[in-house]
Structures are given as structure tokens and as C-alpha cells.
Amino acid sequence: MKEVKNIITIDGPSGVGKGTLAFSLAEKLGWNVLDSGLIYRLTGYLSLKEKLNSPEDIIFHLNHSKIKLLTNLKEKICEIEIDEVVLGNELRNEVVATKASEIAKVPEIRNAIIKIQRNAYDAKSGLIADGRDMGTVIFPEAILKVFLQASPEVRAERRANQLKEKGMDVIMHDLLKLIEQRDKDDMNRKVSPLKPAQDSILIDTSELSIKEVEEKVMENYKKL
Ligand code: C5P
């Protein structure tokens, strides 16, 4: 496969710092960001809100909606516009995430959103793609594939801080259990399980600052 020079993928479980790294690299390189988890969160949100119970209903809804991915590089957030309604914070809670992870096991749903994810790449701009299967399935042609890891406790603490910043109440013990269950589900599903691509670089971010992680990635990128 011919490598594409301006795509970097970042995969890994929740709370490893994928989003933060994606935006800091995007700023450095002047590229765009794809937060693929947000698309799965959208399916979770829609299924809860519109009471869509079957994969067919969810896919029908997705196919008949106008979906636009929005990246705000200045505020370092991604949002999704669906039929002219912008969703951001509504998607960032553990109820929606758990539903998203449940739906993400369904092959038909994954297939239905491949195109939305691949369309986020524009050869003129370059892309940092953040998710679970960016390096293995969606952008196997990426020039650099990064897989981040961190201990469950560190990840739960980071996720708790993100939720608290958004004014949400967090019970640490419950959050840790939810995160561990979601990662187990993501790693063990039959389609596109969470795993490092064979040619990815592995970085444990437990003891590293974001600056240090960014430096490690940039060192590897410059060697290419
Ligand atoms: O990254 P985030 O926590 O927003 O993702 C929510 C859920 O969406 C994940 O737990 C996972 O089940 C699913 N997901 C996925 N593939 C991706 C991104 C997210 O299956 N590329």
C-alpha cells in the first residue's frame, strides 16, 4: 500500500490523551483533526434520543440526515452538525459513550460510517485521525500510526477531570469500572477491535506530559 504523507493516526483506549495529542499535533503541523469517537457517540445519542432500537433504524437515520464534522482548532474541540443542529457537549458523557460502544460492535453500523470518516481527509490539509481503528482499518495508508496506552487509574483520573471541567458530577469508582468495561468491550469485539496496527509506535503516557508525548511523536515523524 502506498503511504500517504499527511495522515497520522492515533489509536488507543479512552483517557490516554488521544484528543489532546491530536490537537497539539494539528496545531504544530497545520492539519485538520478527526475525532472518530464523536461519530460513534452521535449514533449512541441518536439511538437514545430518537429511541432507535435496530441497526437498520440507526443507519436509515444517518443516511437521511445532513452530517457535517466541525473542527474548532482554536478551542481544540470537534463537534458534529446534524440537520443544522450542532452537537458537542451533549455527546460527551458516559451514558452516551457506553451506548456508542455497544453500537460500535455492529459491523453494519461501522460500515455505514466509514465514508464519513474517510471524507474527513482532504489531501490539501493533512489529517490527525483519533479513534480505535484509525491505523488498522480506516487509514491503513497513514505515514505514521501511534498507539497510546496508560494505566486504567491514570485514564479514569484524566477522564474524570475532563467531565468535571464540563460541570458533571463524577464518582471515581464507578467511572473506573465503566471505562474498564468499555475498553474490554472495544478490545474483544469481532469487528475492528481496539488494537495497535502492526506498524504502529506504542507510547505509554501514564508518566508523560503532553509535551513529552508530542516530542516522541514528532521525533518519529521527522525520521520518516
Ligand atoms: O473516543 P470515544 O471515547 O469518544 O469513543 C466512544 C466509543 O466509540 C468507544 O468506546 C468505541 O466503542 C467507539 N469507537 C470505535 N471506533 C472508533 C472510535 C470510537 O469503535 N474509531
Side-chain angles (χ1 to χ4, degrees), residues 35-92:
D35 174 359
S36 62
L38 211 56
I39 308 171
Y40 286 94
R41 284 170 183 261
L42 174 71
T43 64
Y45 175 83
L46 289 176
S47 109
L48 292 168
K49 184 162 172 279
E50 309 289 337
K51 301 196 176 22
L52 307 174
N53 293 316
S54 72
E56 292 76 25
D57 287 350
I58 296 173
I59 292 168
F60 183 88
H61 201 94
L62 289 175
N63 287 343
H64 290 83
S65 306
K66 231 171 75 197
I67 295 174
K68 231 160 97 184
L69 304 180
L70 310 173
T71 309
N72 186 335
L73 290 171
K74 221 162 150 198
E75 305 250 333
K76 300 185 192 302
I77 51 159
C78 288
E79 291 172 315
I80 296 193
E81 189 183 298
I82 174 158
D83 293 335
E84 282 153 37
V85 178
V86 175
L87 298 173
N89 271 344
E90 297 86 343
L91 308 177
R92 292 194 172 87

Side-chain angles (χ1 to χ4, degrees), residues 11-12 14 18 35-38 40-41 97 100-102 104-105 110 117 130-134 138 159 182-183 186 189 192:
D11 289 304
S14 47
K18 299 187 299 288
D35 174 359
S36 62
L38 211 56
Y40 286 94
R41 284 170 183 261
S101 180
E102 196 185 295
K105 290 178 193 162
R110 301 199 75 86
Q117 296 172 83
D130 147 3
R132 305 291 189 288
D133 59 347
M134 295 295 100
I138 306 296
R159 188 44 66 97
R182 186 147 66 88
D183 292 340
D186 288 345
R189 69 180 172 223
S192 310

Side-chain angles (χ1 to χ4, degrees), residues 78-142:
C78 288
E79 291 172 315
I80 296 193
E81 189 183 298
I82 174 158
D83 293 335
E84 282 153 37
V85 178
V86 175
L87 298 173
N89 271 344
E90 297 86 343
L91 308 177
R92 292 194 172 87
N93 60 69
E94 289 306 306
V95 176
V96 168
T98 302
K99 190 72 188 170
S101 180
E102 196 185 295
I103 294 173
K105 290 178 193 162
V106 182
E108 292 81 2
I109 302 259
R110 301 199 75 86
N111 282 336
I113 60 181
I114 285 180
K115 212 165 132 204
I116 306 178
Q117 296 172 83
R118 285 201 59 93
N119 281 346
Y121 172 63
D122 164 5
K124 281 181 271 147
S125 316
L127 185 70
I128 313 287
D130 147 3
R132 305 291 189 288
D133 59 347
M134 295 295 100
T136 49
V137 177
I138 306 296
F139 296 110
E141 71 275 38

Side-chain angles (χ1 to χ4, degrees), residues 179-206:
I179 284 184
E180 282 184 315
Q181 185 58 49
R182 186 147 66 88
D183 292 340
K184 216 163 114 194
D185 287 348
D186 288 345
M187 284 187 283
N188 292 319
R189 69 180 172 223
K190 288 201 178 72
V191 277
S192 310
L194 167 65
K195 64 170 183 197
Q198 267 183 353
D199 50 348
S200 61
I201 56 163
L202 300 181
I203 303 176
D204 191 319
T205 67
S206 307

